[in-house]
Amino acid sequence: MAYHKEFEAAGKKPGLQVWRVEKLDLKPVPSQLHGNFFTGDSYIVLYTTPAPSYNIHSWIGNEASQDERGAAAIFMTQLDDFLRGAPRQFSEYQNQESVTFQGYFRSGIKYKKGGIASGFQHVVTNDVNVKRLLHVKGRRMIRATEVDLSWTSFNKGDCFIIDLGKDIYHWSGSESNRFERLKTTELAIDIRDNERKGRAEVHMIEEGSEPEDVIKVLGAMPNLPPGSSDDVSVDKKNKGQASLHLISDAAGSMKTTMVADKTPFKQDMLSSSDCYILDNGGDNKIFVWKGKDANADERRAALTAANKFIKDKNYPKNTQIQVMPAGGETTLFKQFFFNWLDKDETTGPSKAYTIGSIAQVEQIPFDSSTLHSNKIMAAQHGMVDDGSGKVQIWRVEGGDKVPVDPSTYGQFFGGDCYLVLYSYNTGGRGKHIIYTWQGQKCTQDELTASAFLTVKLDDSMGGVATQVRVTQGQEPAHLVSLFKDKPLVIHLGGTCRHGGESKPGTTRLFHIRQSSTKATRAVEVEPTASSLNTNDIFVLKSPKSLILWMGKGANPGEMAAAKHVARLLGGTATEVEETKEPADFWAALGGKKDYQTSRTLQKTVKPPRLFGCSNKTGRLIAEEVPGDFTQMDLAIDDVMVLDTWDQIFVWVGAEANETEKSGSLKIAQDYVNSDPSGRRGTPITTIKQGEEPFSFTGWFHAWDPKMWDKDVLQRIQDRIKKH
């Protein structure tokens, strides 16, 4: 395949490269103008990570010609071929850009009128004669569209940038909110620093207080209309509606065959010798997965096959397409699969990161001595501190909480709910965490009571506690660490009420696993061979024997916990290695069966995702924050969800409305339930603004505990004044 000369420099170093399609040719866009797009044009955008890995995007403006659209598709395929099929390919459309694409332009995307056909060029100038008006929309996904420089373009609910060259005015409508003002200010600063090279001044003006220079251009302000309806948000209700199709050219023409019609899909449905389409057309997205051993024609025709699929299904022409090679799957694609394992995303035993993410998320080994200084490590391992604070435990009984005997701390029964209050000091301040542990066999009444009692306990301490709802079997590492050198023991079924215990089975099997933080759990499982796992240790108690079974990938540190469980069960334990089991071991488990023998011990850190959430409309709307999010992205008038895969954090802003505050846990539960990967029971931690633990703040670069001591918008404005 012939390549364009511009591709000779493509992907040679990390960062962003942007080209515009000009008369079926490619011309580079100056780096200072990255994020500026003419609505009459098409573009090719290449993002190269340090790994290296590559993302290629075609971007199509609303007024782009059919020829330019076609040329963009050809150039994207050429660039993919030039980089040997390694990139992930994305088709982007004006006003519908993917989260990945938005992440490159943190200050927002600016749409300019016109295009190459009308002679408009991407030129860096210090022209002080610029006169234009930008209408800024969105809270997470910031888009600034050039509109007519006239009062007829304004409304009370939004923010606008009146760009007069040497003076850039940030105009705020009387009904706009503070977070929108904050984002618009960042955009105005970006125009000053990049497009004007710092040779301009940013001024903040409110509706009705326009200076003479603005009135001279716009005239006297008439009565303005109210704000438009809420910004376009991503609605997660469609995310689960997807089907998987095999692409084949066996008959000489591209055909698609249904593989599965509902989520979650299983990873082994994807064969490395084939290509597939994942149809999420209801959410305006189509994914194409290219197996590494698929034939060259099928891989090369992946984009064409996706376009044909869209046409055959009568989907809109602007349906987004993401094409990815095996090993370069996007987070959005992987969420449709149950428990996706990233086999190919590691670079050796000690270094693991996510390929294709904007920043490498490196796995940091746990070291309790550096918990207070290494917040990133604390966050990755879900650790608030070393667990040396004060612990109190109650069992939920008859709608009230009853203290648990401290001698049995660390033992939970699946038929019960518990409240665990942990109190500790950090930075000279007393802090509290309430873990609400809910057994798999507890009643609905107990579930309801545990939630009510948690709120009541929090209120009694001034409403500043962090609340963590925990489902049996998915306990966070920090909760497990509270029991020091003892494992957390979870008994299967039954209750531990006096006179109300259900009788334990005559044969019992406990699964022992040590986490990366060295905290250990011992969970009673069904006494059957299929419950075994080659990575762990199991304790089997039968009427005839007590056996400690050691899997080949078991951690030596798990043995102490196994012996502790054996002592609880009583009797003399015999140690047995995997593959050397006596016959009575299998007999006690009802016969030999297949079990997990894959040694997937290496853990890859999944990149965290941050969402602004709302249920004002009666259904969950979750809008993702693009790119490397910061503390500034936490909107104090919102409920935010931080998803770190094995933990969900709900952050409640001080100015969130009462409905969202009281319904924040339901928002998080709706979020988890709507995940097409079939995730259930993920621990949910509710945090109030200003009371954030390390396990949350460590996911944010350079967290500032004093951020909210002063209004964030005022901080930004102070930066403008100092300029």
Side-chain angles (χ1 to χ4, degrees):
M1 184 182 274
Y3 304 115
H4 195 282
K5 63 182 187 303
E6 278 294 330
F7 296 158
E8 289 169 13
K12 293 289 188 285
K13 57 184 182 182
L16 202 62
Q17 292 168 276
V18 182
W19 298 273
R20 179 166 69 160
V21 177
E22 297 188 3
K23 296 173 183 166
L24 308 189
D25 197 5
L26 276 185
K27 291 290 169 63
V29 175
S31 59
Q32 299 96 315
L33 298 178
H34 286 176
N36 288 271
F37 295 92
F38 284 109
T39 59
D41 289 329
S42 296
Y43 294 78
I44 298 293
V45 175
L46 171 66
Y47 185 80
T48 306
T49 73
S53 65
Y54 313 97
N55 290 344
I56 304 172
H57 305 256
S58 63
W59 184 92
I60 312 293
N62 284 347
E63 286 113 41
S65 70
Q66 197 55 50
D67 285 348
E68 285 181 323
R69 286 170 174 252
I74 291 166
F75 284 133
M76 182 155 75
T77 304
Q78 277 187 16
L79 183 51
D80 178 62
D81 216 48
F82 178 78
L83 295 170
R84 303 179 185 280
R88 305 189 295 193
Q89 301 172 56
F90 301 74
S91 59
E92 311 285 356
Y93 298 93
Q94 183 181 334
N95 285 312
Q96 288 184 214
E97 294 83 2
S98 66
V99 172
T100 306
F101 189 81
Q102 290 268 353
Y104 307 142
F105 311 104
R106 287 293 289 152
S107 298
I109 288 173
K110 298 182 278 295
Y111 301 137
K112 293 185 164 187
K113 288 181 174 181
I116 187 63
S118 42
F120 289 91
Q121 298 291 336
H122 284 282
V123 181
V124 180
T125 71
N126 294 317
D127 186 1
V128 293
N129 297 316
V130 171
K131 280 191 175 65
R132 62 174 178 165
L133 179 64
L134 296 174
H135 180 190
V136 185
K137 288 289 282 181
R139 286 167 65 81
R140 327 294 160 196
M141 308 281 200
I142 311 302
R143 297 180 177 94
T145 306
E146 189 176 343
V147 292
D148 289 334
L149 186 56
S150 157
W151 281 120
T152 56
S153 300
F154 285 77
N155 68 67
K156 292 173 178 286
D158 290 329
C159 294
F160 293 78
I161 291 173
I162 306 164
D163 184 359
L164 302 181
K166 63 181 174 61
D167 290 295
I168 300 166
Y169 294 93
H170 167 345
W171 184 94
S172 306
S174 56
E175 294 171 11
S176 64
N177 66 55
R178 206 160 46 178
F179 196 70
E180 288 166 339
R181 295 179 186 195
L182 172 67
K183 291 296 180 181
T184 306
T185 308
E186 289 178 346
L187 183 62
I189 291 170
D190 180 68
I191 292 170
R192 178 195 71 189
D193 293 348
N194 288 312
E195 290 188 40
R196 299 293 135 70
K197 298 284 196 165
R199 295 184 180 93
E201 277 191 59
V202 174
H203 310 273
M204 310 291 293
I205 57 174
E206 307 261 340
E207 177 189 329
S209 62
E210 295 76 16
E212 199 173 317
D213 284 352
V214 170
I215 293 170
K216 208 179 283 181
V217 173
L218 290 169
M221 185 180 70
N223 285 330
L224 298 178
S228 55
S229 61
D230 200 14
D231 302 314
V232 177
S233 298
V234 179
D235 188 347
K236 283 192 73 81
K237 72 182 173 61
N238 289 322
K239 296 278 194 212
Q241 297 169 0
S243 54
L244 188 64
H245 305 258
L246 172 70
I247 303 173
S248 169
D249 70 345
S253 62
M254 286 290 165
K255 292 267 170 63
T256 56
T257 313
M258 175 89 75
V259 175
D261 62 355
K262 61 177 184 285
T263 58
F265 307 129
K266 291 180 181 168
Q267 202 170 348
D268 60 11
M269 289 175 176
L270 301 173
S271 161
S272 65
S273 57
D274 289 308
C275 295
Y276 296 82
I277 286 177
L278 192 158
D279 175 11
N280 184 215
D283 198 35
N284 210 42
K285 288 184 179 66
I286 298 290
F287 302 86
V288 181
W289 185 87
K290 302 188 292 185
K292 63 183 175 63
D293 303 321
N295 76 51
D297 288 341
E298 282 178 344
R299 288 209 309 275
R300 218 171 259 132
L303 192 60
T304 308
N307 278 313
K308 182 179 183 298
F309 188 89
I310 287 169
K311 194 174 178 183
D312 291 347
K313 289 273 189 178
N314 285 322
Y315 288 154
K317 283 183 181 176
N318 62 354
T319 300
Q320 289 181 346
I321 301 172
Q322 292 186 13
V323 182
M324 62 210 74
E329 296 84 3
T330 61
T331 304
L332 276 180
F333 177 79
K334 290 186 285 195
Q335 74 173 354
F336 290 97
F337 291 80
F338 178 73
N339 197 21
W340 181 281
L341 292 173
D342 293 307
K343 301 185 189 75
D344 304 319
E345 294 197 357
T346 58
T347 56
S350 62
K351 191 174 178 186
Y353 62 85
T354 303
I355 288 178
S357 70
I358 288 173
Q360 294 182 10
V361 185
E362 295 200 7
Q363 186 182 352
I364 303 171
F366 184 72
D367 176 2
S368 59
S369 66
T370 63
L371 254 174
H372 287 278
S373 57
N374 193 339
K375 295 179 177 60
I376 295 173
M377 178 199 71
Q380 280 190 12
H381 296 277
M383 295 298 283
V384 173
D385 68 352
D386 59 4
S388 58
K390 184 185 175 189
V391 179
Q392 290 172 272
I393 303 178
W394 297 267
R395 185 176 64 251
V396 175
E397 205 172 290
D400 207 349
K401 62 183 202 296
V402 177
V404 170
D405 182 347
S407 68
T408 64
Y409 276 13
Q411 291 189 56
F412 294 86
F413 285 75
D416 284 332
C417 290
Y418 297 81
L419 266 57
V420 180
L421 173 62
Y422 179 68
S423 305
Y424 65 108
N425 277 293
T426 181
R429 286 181 63 199
K431 293 207 167 190
H432 308 280
I433 300 173
I434 304 168
Y435 289 104
T436 310
W437 189 92
Q438 299 174 335
Q440 286 179 353
K441 299 283 176 70
C442 67
T443 65
Q444 187 57 48
D445 286 348
E446 286 170 331
L447 280 175
T448 305
S450 69
F452 169 74
L453 292 168
T454 299
V455 173
K456 195 173 171 185
L457 181 57
D458 185 9
D459 287 346
S460 73
M461 294 181 295
V464 295
T466 293
Q467 299 174 24
V468 186
R469 187 173 67 177
V470 179
T471 303
Q472 177 182 334
Q474 300 203 39
E475 295 77 15
H478 184 256
L479 172 59
V480 182
S481 76
L482 303 187
F483 308 109
K484 311 299 185 291
D485 53 345
K486 292 179 183 175
L488 170 68
V489 180
I490 300 168
H491 300 274
L492 186 69
T495 78
C496 64
R497 293 187 191 86
H498 291 298
E501 297 96 333
S502 62
K503 206 171 178 187
T506 52
T507 300
R508 306 180 72 188
L509 183 65
F510 283 82
H511 182 178
I512 318 292
R513 173 173 288 174
Q514 189 176 61
S515 72
S516 59
T517 62
K518 304 291 186 282
T520 315
R521 288 192 303 148
V523 182
E524 188 173 0
V525 293
E526 292 295 336
T528 174
S530 56
S531 296
L532 299 173
N533 186 316
T534 194
N535 294 301
D536 301 314
I537 293 180
F538 287 75
V539 178
L540 173 65
K541 171 76 164 37
S542 71
K544 295 181 180 176
S545 60
L546 182 61
I547 294 173
L548 270 59
W549 181 88
M550 294 173 287
K552 288 182 177 177
N555 182 331
E558 291 163 346
M559 185 51 79
K563 288 179 177 174
H564 173 79
V565 172
R567 284 194 295 274
L568 285 177
L569 296 173
T572 307
T574 306
E575 294 178 18
V576 171
E577 291 180 25
E578 185 177 7
T579 71
K580 297 181 181 176
E581 300 88 355
D584 62 348
F585 174 81
W586 297 117
L589 292 174
K592 202 169 182 177
K593 292 176 191 165
D594 287 340
Y595 59 88
Q596 168 61 275
T597 56
S598 169
R599 291 177 64 176
T600 54
L601 290 173
Q602 184 150 39
K603 185 184 179 195
T604 302
V605 181
K606 294 180 190 289
R609 302 170 72 192
L610 182 67
F611 296 83
C613 290
S614 169
N615 61 357
K616 293 182 181 79
T617 60
R619 66 170 187 257
L620 175 70
I621 292 175
E623 190 178 28
E624 186 165 2
V625 175
D628 289 341
F629 55 77
T630 68
Q631 190 179 355
M632 286 279 222
D633 290 308
L634 295 170
I636 63 173
D637 59 344
D638 255 349
V639 169
M640 309 288 294
V641 167
L642 176 67
D643 181 357
T644 64
W645 186 254
D646 53 6
Q647 185 137 3
I648 302 289
F649 294 93
V650 184
W651 181 89
V652 183
E655 296 179 15
N657 68 46
E658 288 307 315
T659 306
E660 287 175 339
K661 279 183 182 175
S662 59
S664 58
L665 195 61
K666 183 179 184 305
I667 286 175
Q669 196 59 62
D670 286 348
Y671 170 81
V672 176
N673 290 347
S674 68
D675 190 321
S677 68
R679 272 196 288 177
R680 294 289 184 273
T682 305
I684 297 173
T685 301
T686 306
I687 297 165
K688 286 87 171 182
Q689 179 186 329
E691 300 293 335
E692 298 85 0
F694 289 156
S695 53
F696 178 81
T697 62
W699 293 106
F700 295 79
H701 182 63
W703 180 273
D704 177 6
K706 295 180 179 174
M707 168 78 81
W708 293 294
D709 292 354
K710 187 175 184 180
D711 180 68
V712 179
L713 182 57
Q714 190 60 51
R715 281 180 176 229
I716 295 276
Q717 291 173 0
D718 289 347
R719 247 174 67 204
I720 295 170
K721 290 170 190 168
K722 287 174 188 169
H723 175 69

